[in-house]
């Protein structure tokens, strides 16, 4: 598809470049900052730039977006992309501002990260939110949509979730971010777990199933799902991994961030989110120490996964991360790799329990943490 030369979209964004707009086949910049919360597609009530600087070809930009590996998976077409091109430019500018980049001079990896990964996922989230809201009648309280992001450590899920939360915030929708890390046992209770499982390296420190405060997670997620009205506030728990010389402890509640209702979406991320118990023989074959972890995992669906309305599963070929020190490799292999070997194959082939093709997005990424077409 070719964008018509007469096509004209005007968008506004909060950023150092002010007002960007598309006319004909070029993107232009006007040095007149305007709040992103006031932008609207098709608006023509502001002054045209007197000396616009042509910075990119709209056609090239459009084709670059269409070539993204997630486009077909999300059901987007060239027509729908053309109709929403102003949103793509707006979101790209907002992300550039978040990461302190010049949106007119992004490197190829940065463009790929924004336009082939973060923005497509954000549009998918928006679609999931719309479908969720459509299930409720006018006047009814709409609970926030809970989206689960399951991805191994070190593959960029926390940065992705931060980018999504920023886009929700600047487009006027309230979000909350929570991690499975925030539900780790206190240092005292982790010590009790270690004493109850002597010699089991998988439970010696935080990480595997059994090292989380599940009643606390149920309480927190239940409260978040009730954040439907103006004026409602709650603190989000946080975990301090640096406490006790790196063994960690729950952060003091005085340091917990506060979120306000009504929430539109809860972004819930974790390395083992969506893992399901496997036959005992299978986990023993991976590592005999996994048997107790597998047993502990039986309680996790009711504590975590049943709260999740939509899933984004980030898939990798090899969970081992490059650039790790010998000490980090030893810790990773002893503490996390057995669970990855036991549970990732099922997660990738069957999806999380309760997921459906309509509410599940699987994203395979390369070593550069960018999406690729699945084989």
């Amino acid at each position: 598809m070719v964008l018509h030369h007469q096509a004209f979209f005007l968008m506004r964004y909060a950023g150092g470049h002010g007002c960007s707009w598309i006319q004909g086949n070029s993107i232009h910049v006007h040095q007149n900052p305007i709040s992103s919360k006031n932008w609207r597609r098709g608006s023509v009530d502001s002054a045209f730039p007197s000396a616009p600087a042509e910075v990119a070809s709209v056609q090239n930009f459009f084709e670059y977006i269409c070539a993204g590996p997630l486009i077909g998976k999300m059901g987007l077409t060239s027509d729908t992309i053309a109709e929403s091109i102003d949103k793509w430019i707006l979101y790209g500018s907002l992300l550039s501002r978040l990461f302190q980049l010049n949106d007119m001079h992004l490197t190829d990896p940065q463009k790929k990260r924004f336009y082939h990964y973060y923005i497509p996922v954000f549009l998918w989230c928006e679609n999931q939110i719309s479908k969720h809201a459509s299930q409720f009648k006018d006047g009814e309280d709409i609970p926030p949509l809970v989206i689960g992001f399951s991805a191994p450590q070190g593959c960029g899920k926390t940065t992705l979730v931060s980018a999504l939360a920023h886009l929700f915030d600047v487009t006027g929708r309230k979000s909350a971010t929570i991690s499975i890390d925030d539900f780790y046992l206190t240092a005292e209770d982790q010590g009790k777990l270690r004493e109850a499982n002597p010699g089991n390296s998988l439970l010696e420190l935080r990480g595997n199933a059994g090292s989380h405060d599940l009643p606390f997670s149920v309480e927190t997620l239940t409260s978040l799902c009730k954040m439907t009205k103006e004026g409602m506030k709650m603190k989000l728990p946080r975990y301090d991994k640096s406490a006790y010389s790196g063994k960690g402890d729950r952060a003091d509640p005085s340091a917990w961030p506060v979120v306000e209702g009504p929430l539109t979406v809860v972004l819930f991320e974790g390395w083992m989110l969506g893992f399901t118990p496997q036959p005992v023989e299978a986990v023993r074959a991976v590592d005999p120490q996994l048997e107790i972890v597998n047993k502990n995992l039986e309680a996790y669906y009711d504590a975590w996964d049943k709260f999740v309305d939509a899933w984004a599963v980030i898939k990798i070929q090899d969970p081992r991360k490059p650039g790790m020190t010998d000490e980090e490799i030893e810790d990773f292999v002893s503490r996390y790799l057995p669970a990855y070997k036991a549970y990732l194959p099922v997660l990738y082939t069957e999806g999380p329990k309760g997921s459906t093709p309509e509410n599940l997005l699987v994203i395979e990424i390369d070593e550069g943490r960018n999406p690729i077409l699945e084989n």
Side-chain angles (χ1 to χ4, degrees):
M1 173 177 176
V2 178
L3 293 182
H4 296 298
H5 289 282
Q6 293 80 14
F8 177 86
F9 298 94
L10 175 66
M11 51 66 81
R12 300 169 176 175
Y13 65 88
H17 294 98
C19 181
S20 280
W21 50 284
I22 304 174
Q23 187 174 32
N25 246 16
S26 300
I27 302 174
H28 305 270
V29 177
H30 178 34
Q31 303 297 331
N32 181 23
I34 303 174
S35 169
S36 67
K37 293 186 178 181
N38 295 328
W39 80 277
R40 64 180 184 272
R41 182 171 181 257
S43 173
V44 293
D45 59 356
S46 64
F48 294 124
S50 57
E54 184 174 308
V55 294
S57 162
V58 174
Q59 187 63 37
N60 290 343
F61 179 65
F62 168 76
E63 291 173 354
Y64 183 82
I65 292 172
C66 291
L70 298 182
I71 297 302
K73 180 187 290 285
M74 294 169 55
L76 294 176
T77 66
S78 58
D79 286 337
T80 58
I81 292 172
E83 291 168 359
S84 62
I85 196 72
D86 54 342
K87 277 192 172 185
W88 289 83
I89 300 171
L90 170 66
Y91 296 157
S93 298
L94 294 171
L95 290 175
S96 295
R97 183 172 177 82
L98 172 66
F99 293 105
Q100 299 183 334
L101 300 172
N102 185 332
D103 59 333
M104 300 303 162
H105 299 286
L106 297 176
T107 65
D108 287 339
Q110 290 165 351
K111 285 197 300 183
K112 184 180 293 185
R113 185 66 54 83
F114 287 1
Y115 297 108
H116 286 179
Y117 192 4
Y118 292 173
I119 296 174
V121 172
F122 183 67
L123 293 173
W124 176 81
C125 291
E126 288 190 313
N127 184 52
Q128 292 294 318
I129 290 170
S130 295
K131 290 195 294 186
H132 173 69
S134 69
Q135 301 173 21
F136 298 86
K137 298 177 182 178
D138 290 344
E140 287 185 327
D141 287 340
I142 302 176
L145 179 79
V146 181
I147 304 179
F149 294 83
S150 182
Q153 297 112 314
C155 71
K157 64 181 177 298
T158 301
T159 306
L160 167 64
V161 168
S162 297
L164 298 176
H166 178 70
L167 290 178
F168 280 119
D169 178 59
V170 296
T171 54
R173 289 162 291 185
K174 295 177 181 178
S175 67
T177 61
I178 199 82
S179 167
I180 65 172
D181 295 358
D182 300 319
F183 302 131
Y184 280 135
L185 296 170
T186 62
E188 180 181 357
D189 287 339
Q190 182 62 48
K192 294 177 181 178
L193 179 68
R194 182 165 50 250
E195 292 172 2
N197 297 274
N200 190 324
S201 63
L202 301 182
L203 296 174
E204 183 177 353
L205 299 171
R206 66 178 187 270
N208 283 287
S211 65
H212 300 89
D213 186 338
L214 298 188
F216 182 51
S217 69
V218 170
E219 176 187 344
T220 301
L221 291 166
T222 299
S223 297
L224 279 171
C225 290
K226 294 178 180 178
M227 295 284 289
T228 60
K229 298 183 183 298
E230 291 282 353
M232 299 182 73
K233 296 181 180 181
M234 72 171 285
K235 285 190 170 185
L236 295 178
R238 290 296 185 254
Y239 190 83
D240 181 3
K241 293 183 178 180
S242 66
Y244 293 97
S245 302
K247 290 186 178 180
D249 195 8
R250 189 170 298 160
D252 188 279
S254 63
W256 295 2
V258 176
V259 292
E260 299 183 10
L263 292 178
T264 298
V265 62
V266 175
L267 307 174
F268 184 23
E269 56 103 343
W271 73 274
M272 55 170 285
L273 201 61
F275 282 10
T276 54
Q278 298 303 304
V280 174
E281 297 77 13
V283 297
R284 280 178 182 164
V286 174
D287 187 331
Q289 296 180 111
L290 266 180
E291 186 172 352
I292 183 63
V293 171
N294 195 61
K295 182 66 176 177
N296 293 337
L297 196 56
E298 293 176 359
Y300 276 63
Y301 175 80
D302 286 333
W304 290 356
D305 297 356
K306 79 172 184 180
F307 290 93
V308 177
D309 303 298
W311 288 91
V313 174
I314 301 172
K315 180 179 178 181
I316 58 174
Q317 293 297 326
D318 187 346
R320 288 169 292 193
K321 296 175 288 183
M324 295 167 58
T325 65
D326 291 343
E327 185 179 48
E328 288 172 334
I329 292 174
E330 182 179 355
D331 176 63
F332 178 80
V333 170
S334 63
R335 190 161 30 144
Y336 295 106
L337 196 57
Y340 282 133
K341 289 182 176 180
Y343 304 114
L344 278 184
V346 177
L347 179 67
Y348 290 163
T349 57
E350 300 180 8
K353 182 179 178 181
S355 66
T356 66
E358 290 73 29
N359 71 356
L360 172 63
L361 178 65
V362 179
I363 307 165
E364 184 168 352
I365 62 172
D366 58 21
E367 292 183 356
R369 302 179 180 180
N370 289 312
I372 57 177
L373 289 171
E374 292 189 61
N375 297 326

